[in-house]
Amino acid sequence: MVNSLLGLSGGDVLALINSLFFILGGIAVFMVGMNMMGASLETAAGKSMRRLMGKATKNRFLGVGTGAAVTAIVNSSAATTVMIVGFVNVGLMTLAQAASVIMGANIGTTISAFIMALSAAGGMEFSVAAVFALLAFIGFVLTLVGKNDKIKRIGNIFEGVGLIFVGLNVMSNAVSDLMEGNVGEVVASMFIALGNGKASLSWEIPVLFILGALLTAAMQSSAALTAIVISLAAKGLISMQMAMCIILGANVGTCLTSLISSMGASVNARRAAMVHLLFNVAGCFIFIWPVAFAGNYIAKFLSSFISDTEWQIAIFHMVFNLITTALLLPFVSVLVKLACLIVPDKKGAESTDEYERLDKRLLKTPAIAVGQVRKELVQMGGFAFENYKRALDMLLTLDLTQKEDFAETEKHINDYNSFISSFLVKLSLLELGETDEKKVSSFYHVASDFERIGDYAENIVEYAEKLAVDKFDFSEHAKAEILDMDGHLTNLYGYVTKVFADIDLSLIDKVENEERLTDETCEKMQQAHLRRMNEGRCNAEVGAVYLQLAINMERIGDHMHNIANSVKTYHSETKNI
């Protein structure tokens, strides 16, 4: 083989290099197309993906279907598994639920092989790749002239699909060029030396398996390696048996992405990545024996009802994942227990900060990330209102023993605000649907409103400290008026939380009414204060604190009102979601 390479002329060497460069370029175009199409479909299907993920939690069969559907959308089982690791890390999904979705992801990824097989359809008179090349151009035009996001997104999808086929066509032609002249003889001799299926494979099996795993891990895409395998098999450079070995290795190699993604995550998130590895290793262990000892018979069986090698590989890939899922789905609990043994609990290693549930892995799924931000904002609002209540209690009782708890919660609110704002910046840089863009924009203001409620609570604590130091207290009449205002704020908070958390404007009239009552109560408090001052029944210093308190409480109501009204900016497009 080495002698054959040394015997090539300068022109042959250039031809070889030329073909290799085109193969690499074809891979690049293919990956760009896959990423473009996946990202655009994911953005367009954001609402559907939210609903799918909700169904995944019901039972393992729906979990498998969800994993298959989501992977078909994003065109990458590795990407889906990274999402799942993120969901487990933030508590959106249990480990058992994640296991079934991961199994479905392996089924969904087989669509890539069928796309590649389709690219080879047609003869000299008609080329499917040519049609999709035209589709890529149409998509490019739509992205240029489109006047709204929907048209541009459709253009991106067309462009991505077209580039997938263009990249595959470039690879296929480059492989064909490798088979010509002296270069073809040398290349053919290399694959013959490796074992081209004319006899049963032996030592080559682990080599091909490991090669498939390593190449997939390096490219972080089993789809790209599958495309190369299909191109080589279509030109007769590798046998069906060799292709099957490489495909099995690719299924293990694709686990690397999720394993890397789980680093630094919670124990359960790392276990989810381990479940992915265990599932794929178990499936490969099941299939490697029939492929090793009966690979040629399997190839003959497939060729008996379909002649194209490309379709044979795609069918094998699908059957492998379907059978593996069918065999292992009843043993989900066993896989989970095994993952728990391999990745044990570590006391004190888990973070307890709620805002860390906005895991950066969620950015892989912007539509889901937007929903998670809403949940975290509700949590932040709960802390802010809790601190308001704590501050008011200190003011009315002049018992400052809760001051330390208040300060800790206030710091947590500020951390929440910083973290959510930073996460929203990253989220806003991603490709979002029009509705989600409006949500992200409004969430900045919502976070600020909740943070301001916390600030007004701080003011109330300062008022409590002043009264405690000066040994002053409010009259019973003043306390009753304060509690009346507090009652309206408590009602308002309940309605606002419902409106914001559920994206439900059915309570907006009650929000408006309670906000109006806080304004009226603030005016009544001011009038009552003036009356007591005129009657000489109120200390000037206590009166000043009372007036400031009334204004602060009224402004807390204003910020809650703003939060409820923020839902109006996108509610008409998100009903029942």
Side-chain angles (χ1 to χ4, degrees):
M1 184 172 64
V2 175
N3 291 333
S4 299
L5 285 171
L6 293 175
L8 290 176
S9 66
D12 291 333
V13 172
L14 288 176
L16 176 61
I17 294 173
N18 189 63
S19 295
L20 291 175
F21 283 1
F22 270 112
I23 290 174
L24 295 175
I27 293 172
V29 174
F30 169 80
M31 292 301 297
V32 168
M34 289 282 283
N35 292 335
M36 184 180 293
M37 182 181 73
S40 300
L41 282 170
E42 183 183 335
T43 302
K47 299 176 185 178
S48 299
M49 288 183 68
R50 276 193 287 260
R51 286 193 287 267
L52 280 171
M53 286 302 175
K55 292 179 180 178
T57 61
K58 295 182 178 178
N59 63 61
R60 62 183 63 179
F61 297 103
L62 285 173
V64 171
T66 297
V70 171
T71 304
I73 290 172
V74 301
N75 256 305
S76 172
S77 61
T80 302
T81 308
V82 169
M83 295 178 203
I84 295 167
V85 168
F87 298 158
V88 173
N89 194 47
V90 300
L92 287 176
M93 192 176 286
T94 67
L95 191 56
Q97 290 163 351
S100 61
V101 179
I102 288 169
M103 292 181 180
N106 277 32
I107 295 173
T109 196
T110 60
I111 192 174
S112 300
F114 284 98
I115 291 174
M116 296 161 205
L118 180 62
S119 71
M124 294 298 292
E125 301 83 7
F126 174 78
S127 171
V128 173
V131 174
F132 281 98
L134 176 62
L135 185 67
F137 177 75
I138 293 172
F140 171 70
V141 172
L142 288 176
T143 57
L144 285 180
V145 302
K147 295 183 179 180
N148 59 59
D149 289 340
K150 185 175 182 180
I151 297 297
K152 290 183 178 180
R153 195 171 299 118
I154 291 172
N156 282 329
I157 293 171
F158 284 179
E159 195 172 351
V161 173
L163 288 177
I164 288 173
F165 283 88
V166 170
L168 290 170
N169 191 59
V170 170
M171 277 190 280
S172 178
N173 290 336
V175 172
S176 295
D177 291 341
L178 278 176
M179 296 301 296
E180 295 179 357
N182 294 331
V183 174
E185 294 177 7
V186 171
V187 172
S189 68
M190 291 171 62
F191 283 98
I192 289 172
L194 186 59
N196 63 2
K198 292 178 181 178
S200 294
L201 300 177
S202 53
W203 63 268
E204 297 91 342
I205 288 175
V207 172
L208 291 169
F209 181 87
I210 294 171
L211 181 65
L214 292 177
L215 288 176
T216 301
M219 294 187 288
Q220 294 195 31
S221 172
S222 61
L225 183 62
T226 303
I228 296 171
V229 169
I230 286 178
S231 296
L232 294 174
K235 304 304 178 185
L237 288 175
I238 61 175
S239 68
M240 183 63 190
Q241 190 180 18
M242 294 171 69
M244 288 187 286
C245 292
I246 298 172
I247 292 295
L248 291 178
N251 275 269
V252 174
T254 195
C255 298
L256 180 67
T257 304
S258 57
L259 289 172
I260 292 174
S261 171
S262 69
M263 291 180 181
S266 67
V267 166
N268 272 342
R270 296 199 297 276
R271 287 169 177 169
M274 183 55 62
V275 166
H276 186 210
L277 178 62
L278 291 173
F279 172 75
N280 282 9
V281 168
C284 291
F285 182 80
I286 293 169
F287 266 78
I288 198 69
W289 305 107
V291 167
F293 295 105
N296 286 330
Y297 296 105
I298 295 173
K300 288 178 182 178
F301 173 73
L302 289 171
S303 63
S304 66
F305 61 89
I306 185 165
S307 58
D308 292 333
T309 306
E310 300 92 333
W311 288 100
Q312 291 174 22
I313 293 173
I315 291 171
F316 169 79
H317 195 200
M318 180 186 69
V319 171
F320 159 64
N321 284 293
L322 284 173
I323 293 178
T324 300
T325 300
L327 290 175
L328 297 180
L329 188 59
F331 302 100
V332 164
S333 59
V334 176
L335 286 174
V336 169
K337 288 179 181 178
L338 188 55
C340 291
L341 287 174
I342 297 172
V343 185
D345 288 313
K346 291 184 179 179
K347 293 181 180 180
E350 299 301 303
S351 171
T352 57
D353 290 331
E354 286 85 349
Y355 59 82
E356 288 190 3
R357 289 179 298 200
L358 281 181
D359 194 288
K360 64 182 180 181
R361 298 165 186 82
L362 291 177
L363 295 172
K364 293 282 185 180
T365 325
I368 304 292
V370 171
Q372 186 66 12
V373 171
R374 180 185 303 281
K375 292 180 181 179
E376 297 310 308
L377 283 170
V378 172
Q379 288 285 329
M380 180 183 176
F383 287 124
F385 196 72
E386 174 191 338
N387 244 17
Y388 153 71
K389 284 289 196 178
R390 188 178 282 128
L392 191 64
D393 183 63
M394 284 190 278
L395 180 70
L396 294 177
T397 64
L398 299 182
D399 179 2
L400 303 182
T401 56
Q402 300 182 73
K403 187 177 175 182
E404 185 175 335
D405 290 337
F406 178 93
E408 185 178 340
T409 303
E410 172 59 21
K411 179 180 182 304
H412 196 47
I413 292 168
N414 291 332
D415 289 342
Y416 237 128
N417 184 46
S418 298
F419 193 85
I420 289 175
S421 297
S422 175
F423 190 84
L424 286 172
V425 169
K426 297 173 185 174
L427 194 52
S428 65
L429 297 175
L430 303 177
E431 186 72 26
L432 297 170
E434 185 177 352
T435 300
D436 283 341
E437 282 184 357
K438 292 179 180 179
K439 289 180 184 179
V440 169
S441 178
S442 73
F443 288 169
Y444 283 109
H445 301 293
V446 171
S448 177
D449 282 319
F450 279 134
E451 197 269 339
R452 291 296 295 144
I453 290 172
D455 289 344
Y456 285 121
E458 275 193 294
N459 293 344
I460 295 174
V461 171
E462 291 176 5
Y463 303 151
E465 290 175 328
K466 178 175 176 57
L467 292 180
V469 169
D470 296 339
K471 300 187 183 304
F472 289 131
D473 198 1
F474 292 121
S475 67
E476 293 303 315
H477 286 294
K479 287 182 178 180
E481 292 159 1
I482 292 170
L483 289 174
D484 182 37
M485 172 68 103
D486 175 60
H488 292 306
L489 287 179
T490 300
N491 291 338
L492 182 57
Y493 172 72
Y495 295 141
V496 168
T497 301
K498 183 74 173 174
V499 169
F500 180 74
D502 298 340
I503 320 180
D504 179 11
L505 290 180
S506 64
L507 295 175
I508 199 67
D509 288 339
K510 292 185 177 180
V511 170
E512 296 291 345
N513 183 58
E514 288 295 343
E515 199 277 331
R516 178 180 57 79
L517 289 174
T518 59
D519 291 343
E520 293 176 358
T521 304
C522 181
E523 291 181 9
K524 289 178 182 179
M525 291 173 71
Q526 292 172 333
Q527 292 169 1
H529 166 69
L530 290 174
R531 185 172 62 252
R532 286 192 288 269
M533 285 288 290
N534 291 332
E535 294 173 356
R537 296 189 290 117
C538 180
N539 178 285
E541 291 185 50
V542 176
V545 170
Y546 180 83
L547 285 178
Q548 288 298 316
L549 174 65
I551 293 171
N552 275 256
M553 293 178 79
E554 189 271 335
R555 287 177 179 170
I556 287 175
D558 288 342
H559 284 291
M560 288 196 283
H561 182 248
N562 292 342
I563 293 165
N565 277 313
S566 72
V567 177
K568 292 181 179 179
T569 61
Y570 49 81
H571 174 266
S572 61
E573 300 176 45
T574 56
K575 291 181 180 178
N576 302 319
I577 296 174

